[in-house]
Structure formats: C-alpha cells, structure tokens
Amino acid sequence: MSDQTLRFAQLSDAGAALLTPTQQDSCTLVIFGGAGDLTRRKLMPALYNLLREGALDERFAVIGLSRREQDGDGYRELLKQALAEHTREPLQEPEWVVFAERIHYLSANFEDPEGYRALRDRLEQLEAAGGSANRLFYLATPPSAAPIILHRLQEAGLINTSGSSSPWSRVIMEKPYGRDLDSAQELNRIVGEVLGEDQVYRIDHYLGKETVQNILVARFGNTIFEPLWNRKYVDHIQITAAEAIGVEGRGRFYDQTGVIRDMVQSHLLQVLSLCTMEAPLSFAADDIRDKRVEVLRSLRQITGSQVFEDVIFGQYRGYRDEANVAADSRTPTYTAMKCFIDNWRWQGVPFFLRVGKQLRARMTEVSVVFRPVPLCLFGRDEVCQQLESNVLTIRIQPDEGIDLKIVSKRPGDSLDVRSVVMDFSYSETFKRPIKEAYERLLLDAIRGDATLFARRDEVEHAWRFVSPILKAWEDAQRIGPLFYAEGSDGPMEAERLMRRYDRRWREIG
C-alpha cells in the first residue's frame, strides 16, 4: 500500500480493520448525480470512511458528474461541507486533504454525447497517470434517467461487455426499479441490452444494515432458533418500519411514489424474504438470492376486493400541506397489511407488515411471535392469564440488537409469573459504532460481491406481489386514505386489522 493508504489505515480503529485492497478491488467510481442529496449525505461520507480505514488503495478515484456549473475546487468545497455534517466520524483536515486529491468533477447534461466524450477523456487521463482501469458507474439519479445514461455509456465505449473481465465495468442502480411490474420488466429489458446481469448492482440500502445481515446469522448459526422457525411453532411475524419524519422536502417525488412503492416493494419485502427463506446451499451470492426469490414467488397475491380487507392505506394529516403535494392527494404515507407465504414451512402463518411516516418514533424491527403454550400448568386462572407468548425481536434501527421475551417466576413465596426480556445490544457488546449501510454496499460492489444486491428476477417477483395492490388502490378513486395524526401509531383501522385476527401490534417506540 502507498504511504497515503497506510496513513488512513493507521488512523482507523484496529478492531475494525478491513481486508487489504488488491488491484481487482480498485476502481474509478463515476457518480451520475454527483452534486445531489444522496451523494452529499451518503455516498461521499461512505467513501471517506472506506478510504480512512484503508479499504481502498491509492489507485481509487471518484468523478462526480452533474449539470451544476462549477469547477473542481467548488465541488470539493461542497463535499467538504457535506462531510462535516454527515460523516459518522468527525472530519479531520489531514484525512480530508488526502481524500480531496482523489475527487474530480465534470459538468455535463446526461443526454449530451459530448459529456460522455469528456468523461472518457478524463478516465483515460487518470488511467495514464497510474489510476485503476476498472470502472464503477453509480446512477444516483431518478430511474427515468437510467436508459439514456446506459445507452450513452455504451455508445461512448465506456462499458465492457462482461463484469468478470479485466478491467471490469459495473453499474449500481438506485431504487425504485420502475413503478409497477410492466415498467420494471421494461427497465430490466433495457438494462439487459447494455449490461450482463453480473454487471448490474441494484442497491437497497436496507440490505447493507448490520442487523438485517444478522437475520441469517441468527437463524442459521444458532440451533436453538432454526428448528422452531416454522408454522408449527411460530404464531405470526410482524415487520415494522416506522419513521418520525415526513417527506422532508421530497414532496414532488413522494406524491408520485407513495409508501408502497417506496418502502414495501423494496425494503420490507427484502427483510421478509431474509426472515423466511430456506437455508441456502452456501453463502455465495446467487445461492442466497435464489432462496430469497423462492419466498417472493410464494407470496399469496392480494387482489380485487381482498385488498381493502387486508391492506390499510393511511395518510398523515399534514401531508397535503407539504410543498409540491397535490391538495387532494390520495398518496398513502402509511400502510399495514396481512399476507401469507404459501409454502411448506409457512403455510397458514400470517405476516403483518407496517410502514409509515410521521409516526410516534423511528423504529425498524422484525418480531417473531411464537405460539402460546398448549396448556397452562400453574393452576390459578390469574397466573395463567399473565402468560405471554415468547417473542424474538430483531431491532434493525435505531437501537440495533436482538431481544427475546420469555416467562419467568418472580421471586417470592407465591407463584407469580412475569415476562422478562433478554437483551443483546450491538453498541454495548462490540463497543464500536456500526458502519453505515452504504459503506458495506459500495465496498461489495467494488469487490464484485452481489449478495446484498437485488437480482433481476427478485425485483420482478416483488412487483408481481405489489402491483395488484397498487392497481386496486389507484382504481378506487372514490376511496380516500385514512387520516392519522402526526406523532401517532397510525390510523386506528390498523389496530382493528390485528384485532380481527386476535393479534396486536407491538408498541412503536
């Protein structure tokens, strides 16, 4: 490694050391949308931390490309301000100086072929100066921009035909991948004209979270859980993704998207598939993705009038007052639904999904609720009534960890039982901050590991489940969303949905 790379590695936490970078790991990263919110808040802080920890070598460089008219110095100053605000570790001037040397900028219109010729020239200059010939293109742009960018890259000769060749070229694509099944299939068709599937990395930052990855480890690494992980012992599973914020200035985007496209089709179904998939043949990328696809194929469709029986569409009261939101908008900001997986392991087990904005607290978790004991052996009715089901909860954010609720006798002469919680916290156990999801995902894309990225068939099967729900809602123009107060648990109808099946939601917060 160079002196600069060693400087970064020495500054990092020794317990968090990453693998030594290799020639194959190095690349030039080109970010389309290089001055946008995602780049400033997530991508650049992630790259700064990776370089700081020695995960990327001296050949690594990044080119930001956007329509904004500015020079390289102005761009670097913009990013420095963003890092000072958003990086998980305080920005240090010596580290910033080294990082800034790797940052370049091009002002170009995504549709203009001249901009791609300028990009090709800049890449060739960096390679001639000793930079890596591997190329990773990140499309931090609206999905509608993807086809034109890909075709322009192909026309300019900037993409190799195989992701496994050397030097390689790969593309990271941000969600949403279309608006429904038809548009997702069309986008995948266009992508397939330009790229091999091994070159496409469809990113879902939820899969980069430590606790989401730990779902598989908790299941398949502990013999006390996996034998119980089926319809015989599990009563139901709840997945909750609650946000305490609103649309945060993204009214135009959100009003065209809504919570089901934004969260259910991607994040929640990805987490659901990890929770319920069969054991893979190995932890190789396609072995794991094959099993995730099996789950999505097994989801029972919710169609027609059944949609309004099993799906709740809510909207927080102040949503229509947000900037760039229609005054009569029907766009849901909350949904709760009951669904089933029709396979041998999960037949008959209900899954309850819940996601929304402007709720009581920020909380994402999976709760596996086990069946109650078949017979109360403690005699007195008041004791038996105090028995609660065991619950295994995987906390994804913000307090990452796992807890298990069990029943125990309280100390004393009388037989008095209570539920107690055995709690494991990531931060308290490992004594170091959890890395941001984009750090892991960017590094995986550079190393060619697609395990935590969605495959083409995975995306399409998720849309097959979601599209009939969206169609039923969008066709029912006379039905409005159920309003709920900001800072609440969502619409009361979601509670009634659970009561219909003699269950109850876990408390938010």
Side-chain angles (χ1 to χ4, degrees), residues 336-369:
M337 65 178 67
K338 175 180 70 71
C339 59
F340 291 97
I341 296 172
D342 289 332
N343 63 18
W344 190 272
R345 181 185 291 260
W346 296 112
Q347 189 66 33
V349 176
F351 294 83
F352 296 95
L353 313 183
R354 172 177 57 162
V355 57
K357 289 186 172 295
Q358 287 285 13
L359 297 177
R360 184 183 305 277
R362 176 174 175 256
M363 181 189 84
T364 303
E365 67 175 30
V366 177
S367 292
V368 181
V369 182

Side-chain angles (χ1 to χ4, degrees), residues 417-455:
V417 299
R418 289 288 186 273
S419 290
V420 296
V421 175
M422 303 169 66
D423 192 354
F424 151 66
S425 167
Y426 264 81
S427 59
E428 292 181 8
T429 300
F430 296 113
K431 304 298 181 185
R432 71 184 195 212
I434 294 178
K435 296 182 185 298
E436 292 288 336
Y438 279 96
E439 295 176 38
R440 169 65 187 271
L441 294 172
L442 282 167
L443 193 59
D444 280 357
I446 292 168
R447 290 177 172 166
D449 184 349
T451 304
L452 301 178
F453 295 84
R455 202 169 60 190

Side-chain angles (χ1 to χ4, degrees), residues 140-203:
T141 61
S144 58
I148 188 65
I149 292 174
L150 292 174
H151 282 129
R152 290 286 186 263
L153 287 171
Q154 183 184 47
E155 292 164 3
L158 291 169
I159 295 181
N160 291 341
T161 57
S162 173
S164 60
S165 65
S166 183
W168 52 255
S169 56
R170 299 172 186 143
V171 176
I172 299 178
M173 298 181 63
E174 276 282 344
K175 73 173 186 70
Y177 316 110
R179 287 183 52 81
D180 52 22
L181 177 58
D182 290 341
S183 59
Q185 289 176 324
E186 176 63 13
L187 179 58
N188 280 336
R189 184 191 65 77
I190 294 170
V191 170
E193 292 176 349
V194 178
L195 302 166
E197 183 61 27
D198 62 341
Q199 295 177 272
V200 186
Y201 289 71
R202 299 173 185 85
I203 196 168

